[in-house]
Amino acid sequence: MGETWLTSNSWIFLLFSSVVLMVVFFLVYFFEVVRRMGSDHCFDVSAAYFEDPNSLRKVAFPSVFDPAEKYISLIIPAFNEEHRLPLALDETMSYLQQRAAADKSFTYEVVIVDDGSTDKTSKVAFDWARKYTIDNVRVILLGKNHGKGAAISQGMLHSRGELLLMLDADGATKVTDLEKLELEIRSSYEKELHSRAARPSDSNPKFSDVAIATFGSRAHLEQQALATRKWYRNILMKGFHIVVLLTAGPGIRDTQCGFKMFTRAAAQKLFTNIRLRRWCFDVELVYLCKYLNIPMIEISVNWSEIPGSKVRMTSILHMLFELLLIRTGYGLGIWKIRA
C-alpha cells in the first residue's frame, strides 16, 4: 500500500515537473522572440533591387521617403499564386488603364511582391512587367517565404505613390472599391485643412503629407458568413475577435480584410515600425495608428470568397501567439515606436 502511494505520488511529481518545465521553456522562448523582434525589426529601405525582365539588370528600388512619382501604388503580396494572380491582375490593370485614359493626372504602379513562391508566381509577375513595362509593373523577389506582413511592408517601403493600397492576389475585393477608400482619404484631408484654417501660421500640406489610413471592411457581411461557416469555425472566429479587441482596442471591426489604403505619410510612419511578418500585422497596424494618432476610417467593400484560401485552423493558433506578442512587446515597452 505504501509503495503504491509513493509510486502514485512520483508520477504526479514527474507530471507536475514536466508541466512546469514546459511553461518555463515557453516563457523563455516567448520573451526571446519578443526581445529579438524589439531589437531587429526594421527593413533596409535603401538596399532593395528589382529586376528588369527585358535586360535582366538590377535596378535600385526607390524609398517611400523619396518624393512621390506616381499618384497611386498598388502592392500585391503573392505566395504560390500562379493560378489566381493572372485573373486579379487582368481586372486590376484593366481598371487602372481605363482610369488613366480618362484622367491624365492618374498615374499608377503595381508592385508585386513574390514572397518566396515555389511555383511559377514570379514568371507570371514578370510576364505582366514585360507587357506593361517596369514603369507600371514591378516585381520584388523576397527569395524565401517571410510572411504576408513582411511582403506588404517591403512593397510599401519601396513604392512611389502618393496613395498606397494593399490588396490580395486572389482578387477577392473588387479593385474599383479603391475609389471608396480614396474618397474617404480626400474627405479626411479636407477636414484637416479646415481645422488648420484656424491656425493661420500653419502652411497647408499636400494630402499625401497628411497621415491617414483607410481600412476596407467585410463587417457588413458578418451575418451571412456566420450562416455559412461551420459552428466551430464561428466559435473560433468570435474568440479571435474578442482577443483582437483586447489587444488593439475598439475602432475597427474587421482588421483582417486585405484591402487597406494609406497616404504616403502614413506608410512612412507605419511600415518602418511594423514588426509582425505574418497573420496579425493588420492588428499591429491598428495599434500603431492609435499610438501615432493616425486617423482610421473603416469602409465597407465588395468581397467574395475565392477558392484556395491559405488560412487553416492552425493559423488561428499562430494568430493568437502574434496577438500575445503585440500585447507583450508594446505593453512592456520592449518594442519602441518611432514617431
Side-chain angles (χ1 to χ4, degrees), residues 4 34 36 40-41 68 74-75 96 98 103-104 108 116 126 139 165 183 187 195-196 240 271 289 332 339:
T4 303
V34 174
R36 190 170 65 248
D40 181 24
H41 76 284
L74 282 71
I75 294 89
L96 294 173
Q98 289 177 18
D103 179 4
K104 297 303 179 184
Y108 66 87
F126 280 125
V139 183
L165 173 74
L183 183 63
S187 176
S195 68
R196 287 178 181 240
F240 175 73
F271 291 96
C289 281
L332 297 180

Side-chain angles (χ1 to χ4, degrees), residues 6 108 147 156 318:
L6 287 173
Y108 66 87
M156 289 282 176
H318 197 131

Side-chain angles (χ1 to χ4, degrees), residues 2 35 47 53 60 94 98 122-123 183-184 189 215 224 227 250 264 268 272 277 292 295 307 331 337:
R35 185 202 63 78
S94 176
Q98 289 177 18
S122 60
K123 180 182 182 302
L183 183 63
E184 288 297 333
Y189 169 68
F215 291 67
Q224 177 184 343
R264 195 168 185 82
Q268 291 168 353
T272 49
R277 300 190 173 200
L292 296 167
I337 301 175

Side-chain angles (χ1 to χ4, degrees), residues 169-217:
D170 59 7
T173 306
K174 292 295 181 183
V175 67
T176 52
D177 277 0
L178 71 82
E179 294 176 23
K180 295 181 181 180
L181 279 62
E182 178 186 3
L183 183 63
E184 288 297 333
I185 284 181
R186 289 285 187 179
S187 176
S188 184
Y189 169 68
E190 292 297 331
K191 291 177 183 177
E192 173 65 18
L193 289 187
H194 186 266
S195 68
R196 287 178 181 240
R199 306 191 297 270
S201 60
D202 288 355
S203 58
N204 289 337
K206 296 188 300 182
F207 85 97
S208 59
D209 291 333
V210 178
I212 306 168
T214 50
F215 291 67
S217 174

Side-chain angles (χ1 to χ4, degrees), residues 91-125:
E91 180 182 337
T92 298
M93 296 306 297
S94 176
Y95 165 78
L96 294 173
Q97 285 188 309
Q98 289 177 18
R99 187 162 170 188
D103 179 4
K104 297 303 179 184
S105 66
F106 183 83
T107 55
Y108 66 87
E109 68 171 347
V110 175
V111 181
I112 305 167
V113 187
D114 183 351
D115 187 24
S117 298
T118 55
D119 63 359
K120 296 180 180 178
T121 295
S122 60
K123 180 182 182 302
V124 170

